[in-house]
Amino acid sequence: MGGSTVGKGRKVGKGAREHVRVAVVGSGFGGLGAAVRLRREGITDFVVLERADSVGGTWRDNSYPGCACDVPSHLYSFSFAPNPDWPRTFSGQPAIRAYLERVADTFGLRPHIRLGHEVLMMRWDERELRWEIETSAGSLTADVVVSATGPLSDPKTPEIPGLAEFPGKVFHSARWDHDYDLGGKRVAVVGTGASAIQIVPAIAPRTARLTLFQRTPPWVMPRTDRAISTAERWLHRQLPFTQSARRGLLWGIRELQVSAFTKRPNQLGLIESLAKANMARSIKDPQLRAKLTPSYRIGCKRILLSSEYYPALARPDVDVVASGLKEIRGSVLVAADGTETEVDAIIFGTGFHVTDMPIAERVVGADGQTLADAWKDGMQALRGATAAGFPNWMTIIGPNTGLGNSSMILMIESQLNYMADYLRQLSLLDGSGRGGRTALAVRPSAVNQWNRRVQARMERTVWNTGGCTSWYLDAQGRNTTVWPGTTGEFRRATLTVDLAEYEVVRGRDRERGRVPAPAAAAATAAAAAPSGSAAAPAEEGAA
């Protein structure tokens, strides 16, 4: 399956564009993880297309003051690339970005990475059974595309009347302007998500006055962050099993918490009490405490971790407007409740395009339909990886693979298992070892069955019943973002590819107008499979 020249692909036919076996889009955790797995599978004929000038994904883009991870470092890292030298239990953005740079170096990924190659369009060529890819730096073709752009890659800024005429400085938290000095400025922070609660404590001491526009208050638990001692790091380097044990303990605790989120939301009442106690320790003003107390069940939105957020809001030079931003009149910000605030700068901490990812507009499938059109009524993909109508295409961190309480790296590694077996199956079916003569097209029935099971399980989760509106939900109110189970269950569901869930397409048979024999066999297997088979997730722990 691999090519002869690492990261350089090959030419197919006179004057043809460069062709590779696999094109990976994005160089964050998902993209770099995919690249490592490809090399481990013996595939060297691949490229990683990255629009920026360095690797790192969201940990490159988000460099705002105070940026850090809310998952413990020893769990928020690849199992195949343990880092005994994490500086803190919850490490900051510089340490995480440096870790990803080391992964690229350690595993020899640099020759494969194409920086400054933003993907403009990907089209499936049904005749040639390959993807035509147009980038900002040229074009190429690939047998398989692995999209690892991630849901936190394209910032979302709300359309506020008057924003274009605002005379001051405006930027999103994910596009921080480090050249702009906030010192002595009147600053508005719009939003109260994971980024905002880190930004506010970091910049409040520098600003003349900070105003937080809060549409919905978050539940905030203390973040028990500390420096990892020299002795701990030495122990993890000398005895690697101690680091594995630490990671395993962190993982196990979070697996045990899943049931409360997915099956028994009423059990979260004790956690709510702890969150209220955390607030009461810092917020003594009863009116401010009322503003900051959520009216929905804890866990409905992501539980945020910070030990500095509430103390920052209690500062005399920080104001909380318990209302969303409605309009802007010159330099005056007007909230939905009529509150007016004059500011010099606006920082939007308003999240990302998660359920409407812009990359979906740039993927054109077998019937000429974009992925955005295919997902206009809601994202859905078999096992979070493959979408109907898009052969030889898969996504990392796809629909319903997000987590509310654990590390996304666990989910990414599970999807890498699926990707590896997908490519093995293609190679076996192709027979030539060169690729490009066979494609796997996921059956719409398999996608629909998987999605129905996922959505049925979602009905009793805290994300659907907790009484909030979150970024987990799409425009139709469906939760197409979060996985309603444990990470262990997802790993079991993605260990191997079930060919009964796919149509096998062969180029030479297509030209002769015959149904490929493997596809017919797969169809027979699918018809014979009992209801509730591997085509959908079973209820974990069910009798």
Side-chain angles (χ1 to χ4, degrees):
M1 291 171 66
S4 58
T5 306
V6 174
K8 291 207 178 260
R10 59 187 187 275
K11 301 287 185 178
V12 180
K14 185 178 180 179
R17 289 172 288 183
E18 178 188 8
H19 181 79
V20 293
R21 177 62 167 152
V22 183
V24 179
V25 185
S27 68
F29 268 99
L32 294 182
V36 171
R37 190 56 184 268
L38 287 170
R39 286 189 62 90
R40 288 189 159 190
E41 293 291 317
I43 302 173
T44 58
D45 184 12
F46 72 90
V47 294
V48 178
L49 304 173
E50 170 55 56
R51 66 185 177 185
D53 59 2
S54 62
V55 303
T58 192
W59 292 106
R60 174 201 58 236
D61 296 340
N62 286 270
S63 60
Y64 57 80
C67 183
C69 189
D70 59 2
V71 175
S73 299
H74 288 285
L75 191 60
Y76 197 79
S77 47
F78 291 121
S79 64
F80 54 78
N83 179 20
D85 291 313
W86 285 116
R88 305 191 65 82
T89 52
F90 292 86
S91 294
Q93 178 264 346
I96 298 172
R97 184 178 180 185
Y99 169 78
L100 289 171
E101 293 280 2
R102 286 198 301 275
V103 167
D105 291 330
T106 301
F107 292 91
L109 305 183
R110 297 291 182 185
H112 300 275
I113 298 171
R114 306 276 181 87
L115 301 175
H117 280 62
E118 180 178 7
V119 171
L120 306 177
M121 189 63 68
M122 295 184 282
R123 299 179 185 276
W124 176 248
D125 185 330
E126 192 170 8
R127 176 180 173 83
E128 300 296 332
L129 298 187
R130 66 187 185 188
W131 285 92
E132 298 180 343
I133 305 170
E134 300 296 330
T135 80
S136 57
S139 62
L140 69 156
T141 60
D143 296 332
V144 177
V145 166
V146 177
S147 180
T149 57
L152 306 183
S153 57
D154 291 285
K156 177 184 288 186
T157 300
E159 295 182 2
I160 307 294
L163 178 60
E165 289 73 44
F166 178 71
K169 188 69 177 179
V170 179
F171 53 87
H172 192 280
S173 61
R175 300 292 184 267
W176 195 270
D177 188 340
H178 291 277
D179 294 328
Y180 182 75
D181 184 8
L182 294 173
K185 302 292 198 307
R186 298 165 299 175
V187 179
V189 174
V190 182
T192 52
S195 298
I197 72 160
Q198 294 179 344
I199 291 169
V200 169
I203 69 173
R206 297 158 49 195
T207 62
R209 190 156 203 92
L210 190 151
T211 302
L212 176 68
F213 284 80
Q214 171 195 270
R215 188 172 57 182
T216 308
W219 285 105
V220 182
M221 295 288 286
R223 190 166 72 123
T224 54
D225 184 31
R226 65 172 179 82
I228 297 177
S229 69
T230 302
E232 288 175 275
R233 297 189 210 179
W234 178 88
L235 183 65
H236 292 332
R237 281 195 301 272
Q238 300 302 314
L239 301 173
F241 76 87
T242 61
Q243 185 174 355
S244 298
R246 184 175 190 162
R247 178 185 175 93
L249 179 62
L250 292 168
W251 169 76
I253 291 171
R254 282 156 180 77
E255 291 289 272
L256 292 174
Q257 297 171 348
V258 171
S259 177
F261 287 86
T262 60
K263 300 176 184 178
R264 303 175 184 89
N266 289 334
Q267 293 181 349
L268 294 166
L270 174 61
I271 307 301
E272 275 187 18
S273 299
L274 295 174
K276 288 179 179 178
N278 177 49
M279 184 194 306
R281 280 192 291 270
S282 300
I283 307 297
K284 305 303 181 183
D285 180 354
Q287 290 185 326
L288 179 56
R289 198 156 59 236
K291 286 182 180 180
L292 299 176
T293 302
S295 59
Y296 55 88
R297 173 65 78 189
I298 193 169
C300 185
K301 290 174 177 274
R302 187 176 180 93
I303 301 173
L304 306 182
L305 303 181
S306 176
S307 298
E308 295 81 32
Y309 181 61
Y310 287 138
L313 297 186
R315 292 173 58 102
D317 54 358
V318 173
D319 299 315
V320 177
V321 176
S323 179
L325 181 57
K326 180 182 178 182
E327 62 176 311
I328 300 174
R329 301 171 188 162
S331 60
V332 176
L333 277 58
V334 183
D337 65 0
T339 302
E340 296 187 1
T341 307
E342 188 169 6
V343 300
D344 303 305
I346 304 172
I347 301 170
F348 284 101
T350 45
F352 300 84
H353 290 276
V354 175
T355 60
D356 58 341
M357 294 185 289
I359 189 67
E361 296 279 1
R362 306 179 184 190
V363 184
V364 181
D367 58 359
Q369 184 182 45
T370 66
L371 185 61
D373 285 337
W375 282 352
K376 67 180 184 298
D377 295 324
M379 300 188 300
Q380 54 178 328
L382 177 64
R383 305 178 191 276
T386 52
F390 298 84
N392 282 14
W393 180 93
M394 60 172 38
T395 182
I396 307 295
I397 316 183
N400 290 114
T401 61
L403 296 175
N405 74 315
S406 193
S407 172
M408 277 306 301
I409 313 307
L410 301 169
M411 302 296 279
I412 288 172
E413 289 196 31
S414 292
Q415 291 200 289
L416 297 183
N417 289 337
Y418 196 75
M419 176 199 75
D421 196 55
Y422 189 99
L423 290 166
R424 288 188 212 112
Q425 297 294 339
L426 271 179
S427 183
L428 290 170
L429 290 164
D430 177 63
S432 70
R434 297 189 302 273
R437 295 171 57 182
T438 306
L440 283 174
V442 66
R443 296 177 182 279
S445 59
V447 177
N448 291 336
Q449 185 180 14
W450 172 267
N451 192 58
R452 283 196 301 270
R453 293 292 183 89
V454 168
Q455 293 303 320
R457 292 183 60 181
M458 199 70 71
E459 290 178 1
R460 57 176 170 168
T461 67
V462 69
W463 308 302
N464 281 35
T465 64
C468 73
T469 300
S470 72
W471 57 267
Y472 297 152
L473 309 180
D474 64 17
Q476 288 75 36
R478 285 190 293 271
N479 192 328
T480 57
T481 305
V482 186
W483 168 245
T486 66
T487 62
E489 180 186 5
F490 188 76
R491 175 153 295 203
R492 291 190 293 274
T494 52
L495 278 175
T496 59
V497 169
D498 181 358
L499 285 181
E501 297 176 330
Y502 289 86
E503 176 189 358
V504 181
V505 182
R506 295 184 185 276
R508 61 179 181 274
D509 291 333
R510 179 179 295 280
E511 291 173 6
R512 296 171 184 170
R514 294 192 286 108
V515 177
T524 302
S531 177
S533 66
E539 180 71 56
E540 186 173 46

